[in-house]
Amino acid sequence: GQQVMQIPQYQHVQEGEDFTTYCNSSTTLSNIQWYKQRPGGHPVFLIQLVKSGEVKKQKRLTFQFGEAKKNSSLHITATQTTDVGTYFCAGDNAGNMLTFGGGTRLMVKP
Amino acid sequence: DSGVTQTPKHLITATGQRVTLRCSPRSGDLSVYWYQQSLDQGLQFLIQYYNGEERAKGNILERFSAQQFPDLHSELNLSSLELGDSALYFCASSASGGQSYEQYFGPGTRLTVT
């Protein structure tokens, strides 16, 4: 079945440093979604990428979808303590099932 | 607040017991999804219902079952509980049946099996 791998599993950064999490799928995706889960909270939808090579920005967050539609990344510029949480990618291979990656837990030291 | 409600918030029960988790989707959403999240783990998709019918099945154990009622609320039944079933169970909803649409997650039910 489809597998979605995310790296790194954990990341500690100093406030102000950049952060990137990578997502790789074993199959070509029709689209990819990103979610953020704050500690003790529930996943919250951030964005969806659909087109090959697509890049979308939300303030300090930059999302990319690979040309082959098998990988994606989320980059945060100048992290803040409010960025703390676990970031999940979720791939849709048009098989009517969204497969979540294992998540990257981001910790930010003030 | 996502608009998805889940009850109860916490549940503590013994091995071998049966519990029912309840979810009400956002107003207007026809799809309901159930996920299991174990400690420090990712989200494991269990099952999806769309407008009362089962739409997709993930890694759901035979001891677990779910249904969606005419008013679109859903229940997840967990039976013959084992210690390993202790986890956070999330319900999510979306407008359509396809999983290409963003999902809105509820606050979760934390199940502890002792």
Side-chain angles (χ1 to χ4, degrees):
Chain A
Q2 180 192 3
Q3 289 189 337
V4 176
M5 308 298 290
Q6 235 181 302
I7 55 169
Q9 195 172 358
Y10 302 94
Q11 183 88 61
H12 287 88
V13 299
Q14 196 72 41
E15 189 173 20
E17 291 181 340
D18 291 357
F19 159 78
T20 305
T21 172
Y22 300 91
C23 182
N24 289 287
S25 169
S26 58
T27 61
T28 302
L29 301 170
S30 60
N31 69 81
I32 193 157
Q33 301 176 17
W34 285 90
Y35 291 78
K36 176 183 178 181
Q37 183 176 18
R38 292 182 187 273
H42 59 273
V44 175
F45 175 83
L46 293 177
I47 209 161
Q48 182 183 67
L49 304 171
V50 178
K51 298 176 186 174
S52 168
E54 189 170 13
V55 178
K56 285 189 177 179
K57 292 190 176 184
Q58 288 180 351
K59 297 183 181 177
R60 295 177 295 102
L61 276 61
T62 302
F63 303 84
Q64 290 190 317
F65 201 9
E67 294 290 340
K69 300 183 76 173
K70 294 181 75 173
N71 61 288
S72 180
S73 65
L74 158 58
H75 179 82
I76 301 179
T77 304
T79 54
Q80 300 175 358
T81 54
T82 53
D83 295 325
V84 163
T86 301
Y87 293 84
F88 291 99
C89 64
D92 172 16
N93 65 352
N96 206 43
M97 191 176 300
L98 204 60
T99 302
F100 279 79
T104 295
R105 186 174 169 188
L106 172 64
M107 288 153 280
V108 180
K109 288 184 192 177
Chain B
D1 183 10
S2 65
V4 178
T5 59
Q6 287 186 250
T7 56
K9 196 169 182 179
H10 300 279
L11 199 48
I12 301 174
T13 189
T15 54
Q17 294 298 305
R18 172 188 169 97
V19 297
T20 298
L21 313 184
R22 184 188 168 105
C23 167
S24 291
R26 284 191 326 155
S27 176
D29 283 358
L30 299 179
S31 270
V32 169
Y33 310 79
W34 286 98
Y35 292 89
Q36 180 192 57
Q37 185 175 46
S38 302
L39 193 63
D40 287 339
Q41 295 294 311
L43 290 155
Q44 296 295 319
F45 169 68
L46 296 178
I47 198 163
Q48 177 200 359
Y49 277 82
Y50 174 73
N51 206 18
E53 302 286 329
E54 182 183 303
R55 175 62 69 101
K57 217 168 186 175
N59 299 318
I60 188 165
L61 300 172
E62 284 192 13
R63 301 184 285 109
F64 296 1
S65 64
Q67 55 184 331
Q68 186 178 29
F69 295 87
D71 67 352
L72 300 177
H73 91 271
S74 177
E75 292 181 355
L76 179 67
N77 301 295
L78 314 176
S79 61
S80 303
L81 285 167
E82 302 174 358
L83 295 177
D85 297 327
S86 295
L88 199 50
Y89 290 85
F90 285 109
C91 162
S93 74
S94 71
S96 179
Q99 295 197 19
S100 294
Y101 294 84
E102 63 183 274
Q103 297 182 20
Y104 295 86
F105 283 76
T109 293
R110 182 168 295 283
L111 173 66
T112 302
V113 182
T114 61

